[in-house]
Amino acid sequence: MVTIKQVAEKADVSTATVSRVINGNYPVSEKARKKVVETIKELGYRPNSIARSLKCNKTYMVGMVVPDISNNYFMDIARGVESVISPLGYSLIFCSTDENTEKELKLLNALNDKRVDFVLLASSTQQSDKLKKFINQGMNIILIDTSIKDLETDIVVEDNFNATYKLISYVIDQGHRRIGAINGFMGVSTAKERYNGFLHALEDHDIPLEESYVVNGYYDRKKAYEEVKLMLQKNMSNLPTALFAANNDMAEGAMIALKEMNLKIPDDISLVSFGDINIPELVEPRLTIISQNSVLIGKKAGELMVRKVVEAECRENGISKISIPSEIIIRDSVKSI
Amino acid sequence: MVTIKQVAEKADVSTATVSRVINGNYPVSEKARKKVVETIKELGYRPNSIARSLKCNKTYMVGMVVPDISNNYFMDIARGVESVISPLGYSLIFCSTDENTEKELKLLNALNDKRVDFVLLASSTQQSDKLKKFINQGMNIILIDTSIKDLETDIVVEDNFNATYKLISYVIDQGHRRIGAINGFMGVSTAKERYNGFLHALEDHDIPLEESYVVNGYYDRKKAYEEVKLMLQKNMSNLPTALFAANNDMAEGAMIALKEMNLKIPDDISLVSFGDINIPELVEPRLTIISQNSVLIGKKAGELMVRKVVEAECRENGISKISIPSEIIIRDSVKSI
DNA sequence: ATGAAAGCGCTAACAA
DNA sequence: TTGTTAGCGCTTTCAT
């Protein structure tokens, strides 16, 4: 690999001058500039970003840590992030914790060692003390999707409570009174908030909660599939008329379970979901859902990052909390009774 | 951030000793070791991998460049890669070119600047000369999915030709004679090989090629959707009885088109695909496909990498070509006529 | 077994 | 406008 020194020698200038023409941050005579540019091209020189990072304390890398790399929701967020940071020269390191606290901590450590400029974290733990440690060490953590109790840091989230409240209210308005819920992993804020929205909607409409209709799918498709199947089998004599899935993956799991049990949506059971499934165009019936605008979440997180770097230069600072709106999309999976 | 120097001072040893206990590659007295370990814990010291990388010429980062980050096929490959390299301390930088040659080159440059140890490249160009330049600069490129003419480098691919040949032969065996193809971007090897398999299957069974049944979907779902729709409209009076989609995305596009035109699979038109669609469990009918084993491709690419680092230490070297087998999964989307 | 010191490739303060 | 040089945090050779 050719270094700045070799360029300097061949162009007959100092390394400082070469550095100056590369970065264009200090005046260089036109003559020297030309010569250097030529030599760089000739030698095929490319600056070593490792060396640069070491010197400047800036890596132009951002780590993104999510619980499930295969969920399109997080993929879309990643694309949103990429779309704003990539033009600015940042690269994204994309990591999955598989909902595993230990792995999450390990990844955070690795990213810390790599001195990434930012970490976008969709945490699946509530370990605020460990995360605080990272922040105190100077790590720039931006929370996405999930909030963490007692942790004061920048965050981009959705309004889980209100969106769910509205969705369940709609279901109730359609005449449903026996409504079940497929919860996400209740250790994280989104699952709790969504379930709270669910509960409050029932309560405000004077509908009793039937606990045997509530299962925990841990945000996992297979788990949701199994739990829903079990729950329905147990309640065969008095089935719920509607089900709420707390995310897209679990909605898919539920649909598979219903299909296997020959329960038709929405004729036998209605189903609504927080977040859309894959290829909604091809799956019958079209699901009534909360649309999450995941790309926007990513974009906002990206913009937050770039704002942070500007602010850092101005020695300002403050904590932002951005809430992304989500809307209900009414399709065909809820029966009016 | 605490540095090795601070640890050394506090532990009353030299930085060399601290480095030695961290890396465990040189003898250190038990007493010193203990003291250092303690101090590291006390100070919460973590080695700076940037500095380490600069010194050792090794970043423990691998770049993965694919044409479409949202296609599950590439995501699965990425997961395969991750599963083998992550335990070894490597991180994956995952980038999408959106099938854009210019962007591909830009990304390759960025990864080169970052001095990633390896690049896994699913190229959407055939620019062997440009890629050669990278390789000559010392970049470790491993091709995945797509081969590139005149480029001698390690590669992990599928047997596109034979798999397609078998799949189309099966369709023909079911009695079909008017068979259409939805091709991928013909600039890349996979698209060409798959189409060749398609053509040879027809030829060997004495079936004429009906050119008006062949469209180019450029491996893009929307494009495939549009082209299929157009093609069917044009051939309304003499529809093909079967269609072959060269990848999963385009199969989805075709299904949407067929659905909109009220053509039932397989009653009106049969459909087969190279690679499986999303949530096959929920889409009717279940598609007959070539199953790609994408996670395995990733794993093999990962293993190839680790073998390379071992070989590099032994100063051996050679080029590997790994071909991943794929199998036909017969489901319900081909009518027997 | 340990420490001093050079140096990885770069940037920037300082001097000229 | 330019060159010299220190130093970013680490590893490793060489000397002890």
Side-chain angles (χ1 to χ4, degrees):
Chain A
M1 287 270 70
V2 20
T3 70
I4 201 173
K5 208 171 159 190
Q6 294 169 35
V7 175
E9 266 168 27
K10 182 140 194 182
D12 221 30
V13 294
S14 72
T15 60
T17 300
V18 178
S19 172
R20 282 174 194 127
V21 343
I22 292 167
N23 297 300
N25 47 357
Y26 290 94
V28 174
S29 73
E30 190 50 32
K31 199 179 124 206
R33 218 188 53 76
K34 241 182 188 155
K35 184 92 193 254
V36 169
V37 169
E38 242 166 47
T39 318
I40 285 178
K41 198 160 226 170
E42 205 179 317
L43 263 42
Y45 168 73
R46 301 228 96 217
N48 181 328
S49 13
I50 298 293
R52 201 177 253 174
S53 292
L54 182 59
K55 177 70 192 178
C56 304
N57 233 335
K58 197 151 178 7
T59 53
Y60 287 93
M61 294 194 301
V62 353
M64 179 160 169
V65 178
V66 304
D68 180 7
I69 205 172
S70 12
N71 191 324
N72 267 330
Y73 171 63
F74 293 114
M75 276 301 314
D76 285 343
I77 296 183
R79 296 208 313 184
V81 174
E82 264 253 318
S83 75
V84 354
I85 70 173
S86 151
L88 274 55
Y90 285 83
S91 305
L92 197 63
I93 300 184
F94 198 43
C95 325
S96 180
T97 68
D98 306 324
E99 313 258 11
N100 177 336
T101 297
E102 206 181 322
K103 200 169 169 198
E104 180 172 323
L105 256 20
K106 235 185 214 164
L107 284 170
L108 254 15
N109 264 323
L111 293 171
N112 196 20
D113 295 352
K114 292 221 151 67
R115 302 300 193 264
V116 295
D117 295 340
F118 290 92
V119 169
L120 304 177
L121 172 62
S123 181
S124 40
T125 84
Q126 291 293 103
Q127 307 249 11
S128 64
D129 48 332
K130 309 243 176 173
L131 294 180
K132 263 180 199 158
K133 225 180 236 169
F134 283 112
I135 292 176
N136 288 338
Q137 271 175 54
M139 202 171 191
N140 257 314
I141 297 186
I142 295 177
L143 258 26
I144 50 178
D145 185 58
T146 320
S147 66
I148 289 183
K149 224 178 139 230
D150 298 328
L151 194 69
E152 288 277 314
T153 186
D154 299 278
I155 182 164
V156 181
V157 284
E158 298 176 278
D159 190 351
N160 293 292
F161 179 91
N162 283 312
T164 309
Y165 184 93
K166 274 192 214 150
L167 180 65
I168 300 304
S169 296
Y170 162 78
V171 172
I172 294 171
D173 286 347
Q174 297 303 303
H176 292 266
R177 294 185 57 84
R178 298 205 306 279
I179 309 176
I182 308 160
N183 278 323
F185 173 45
M186 294 299 274
V188 307
S189 63
T190 53
K192 280 186 258 181
E193 290 162 15
R194 288 170 200 179
Y195 188 49
N196 264 330
F198 172 89
L199 291 178
H200 272 77
L202 292 193
E203 204 176 310
D204 289 355
H205 293 81
D206 287 322
I207 298 201
L209 169 69
E210 172 57 54
E211 302 230 7
S212 71
Y213 292 162
V214 177
V215 301
N216 196 330
Y218 292 93
Y219 282 143
D220 180 79
R221 193 167 103 168
K222 187 145 174 259
K223 189 81 183 154
Y225 158 82
E226 288 162 356
E227 290 295 320
V228 167
K229 218 164 167 180
L230 214 63
M231 183 270 278
L232 294 175
Q233 278 159 356
K234 271 194 208 147
N235 291 289
M236 257 324 183
S237 55
N238 189 35
L239 287 175
T241 64
L243 246 33
F244 161 70
N247 85 341
N248 54 356
D249 258 5
M250 297 196 300
E252 290 180 6
M255 288 186 88
I256 298 174
L258 289 169
K259 192 172 178 185
E260 279 187 22
M261 296 182 73
N262 276 315
L263 292 166
K264 285 260 172 293
I265 306 172
D267 300 333
D268 300 319
I269 290 193
S270 297
L271 177 66
V272 294
S273 161
F274 201 111
D276 211 353
I277 59 172
N278 284 296
I279 34 171
E281 304 94 330
L282 288 181
V283 175
E284 297 289 354
R286 293 156 58 242
L287 231 49
T288 291
I289 56 146
I290 292 164
S291 164
Q292 297 192 259
N293 221 338
S294 29
V295 177
L296 184 63
I297 297 178
K299 279 189 181 162
K300 287 294 176 189
E303 285 164 15
L304 189 51
M305 265 185 42
V306 324
R307 194 158 75 231
K308 285 253 135 189
V309 331
V310 175
E311 279 174 2
E313 276 161 12
C314 311
R315 281 193 183 61
E316 278 181 55
N317 88 82
I319 287 176
S320 308
K321 172 163 181 155
I322 298 176
S323 186
I324 305 290
S326 41
E327 48 165 345
I328 295 185
I329 299 185
I330 293 176
R331 296 198 286 224
D332 318 318
S333 66
V334 176
K335 185 162 131 188
S336 188
I337 52 181
Chain B
M1 286 268 73
V2 20
T3 70
I4 201 173
K5 210 171 155 188
Q6 294 168 34
V7 175
E9 267 168 26
K10 181 137 194 186
D12 220 31
V13 294
S14 72
T15 59
T17 301
V18 178
S19 173
R20 282 172 193 129
V21 342
I22 291 167
N23 297 300
N25 47 358
Y26 290 95
V28 174
S29 73
E30 191 49 31
K31 198 180 125 203
R33 218 188 53 77
K34 240 180 187 156
K35 184 93 194 249
V36 168
V37 168
E38 240 165 49
T39 317
I40 285 178
K41 198 160 225 172
E42 205 179 316
L43 262 43
Y45 168 74
R46 302 226 96 217
N48 181 329
S49 12
I50 298 293
R52 200 177 254 173
S53 292
L54 181 60
K55 179 71 192 177
C56 305
N57 233 336
K58 196 149 180 6
T59 54
Y60 287 93
M61 294 195 300
V62 354
M64 179 160 169
V65 178
V66 304
D68 180 8
I69 205 173
S70 11
N71 190 324
N72 266 331
Y73 171 63
F74 293 114
M75 275 301 314
D76 285 344
I77 297 183
R79 296 207 311 182
V81 174
E82 264 253 318
S83 74
V84 355
I85 69 173
S86 151
L88 275 55
Y90 286 83
S91 305
L92 198 62
I93 300 185
F94 198 43
C95 324
S96 180
T97 68
D98 305 325
E99 313 258 10
N100 178 336
T101 297
E102 206 180 321
K103 200 169 168 198
E104 180 172 323
L105 256 19
K106 234 184 215 164
L107 284 171
L108 253 16
N109 264 323
L111 292 172
N112 196 20
D113 295 353
K114 291 222 152 66
R115 302 300 192 265
V116 294
D117 294 340
F118 290 92
V119 169
L120 304 178
L121 172 62
S123 181
S124 40
T125 84
Q126 291 293 104
Q127 306 249 13
S128 64
D129 47 333
K130 308 243 176 172
L131 294 181
K132 262 180 199 158
K133 225 179 239 171
F134 282 113
I135 292 176
N136 288 338
Q137 273 176 52
M139 202 171 189
N140 258 314
I141 297 186
I142 296 178
L143 258 28
I144 49 177
D145 185 58
T146 320
S147 66
I148 290 183
K149 225 178 139 229
D150 298 329
L151 194 69
E152 289 277 313
T153 186
D154 300 278
I155 182 164
V156 182
V157 285
E158 298 176 277
D159 190 352
N160 293 292
F161 179 90
N162 284 313
T164 310
Y165 184 94
K166 274 191 214 153
L167 180 64
I168 301 304
S169 296
Y170 162 78
V171 172
I172 295 170
D173 286 346
Q174 298 302 304
H176 293 266
R177 294 186 59 84
R178 301 205 305 280
I179 309 176
I182 307 161
N183 278 322
F185 173 46
M186 294 300 272
V188 306
S189 62
T190 53
K192 281 187 258 183
E193 290 162 15
R194 287 170 200 179
Y195 189 50
N196 263 331
F198 172 90
L199 291 178
H200 272 78
L202 293 192
E203 205 177 308
D204 289 356
H205 293 81
D206 288 321
I207 299 202
L209 170 69
E210 173 56 54
E211 302 230 7
S212 72
Y213 292 163
V214 177
V215 301
N216 196 330
Y218 292 92
Y219 281 143
D220 180 80
R221 193 168 105 167
K222 188 147 174 256
K223 188 81 182 153
Y225 159 82
E226 288 162 357
E227 290 296 320
V228 167
K229 219 165 167 179
L230 215 63
M231 182 270 277
L232 293 175
Q233 277 159 358
K234 271 194 207 146
N235 290 289
M236 257 323 183
S237 56
N238 189 34
L239 286 176
T241 64
L243 245 34
F244 162 69
N247 84 341
N248 53 357
D249 258 4
M250 297 196 300
E252 290 180 6
M255 288 186 89
I256 297 173
L258 290 169
K259 192 173 177 183
E260 279 189 22
M261 297 180 72
N262 275 315
L263 292 165
K264 285 261 171 293
I265 307 171
D267 300 333
D268 301 318
I269 292 193
S270 297
L271 176 67
V272 294
S273 161
F274 201 111
D276 210 353
I277 60 172
N278 284 297
I279 35 171
E281 304 94 328
L282 288 181
V283 176
E284 296 289 349
R286 291 155 61 240
L287 233 48
T288 290
I289 56 147
I290 292 164
S291 164
Q292 296 192 261
N293 220 339
S294 29
V295 176
L296 184 63
I297 297 179
K299 279 189 183 165
K300 287 293 177 191
E303 284 165 14
L304 189 50
M305 266 185 41
V306 324
R307 194 158 75 232
K308 284 255 136 189
V309 333
V310 175
E311 278 173 4
E313 275 162 12
C314 312
R315 278 192 184 64
E316 279 181 55
N317 89 83
I319 286 176
S320 309
K321 172 165 181 157
I322 298 176
S323 186
I324 305 291
S326 40
E327 48 164 346
I328 296 184
I329 298 186
I330 294 176
R331 296 198 285 224
D332 318 318
S333 66
V334 177
K335 184 162 132 186
S336 188
I337 52 182

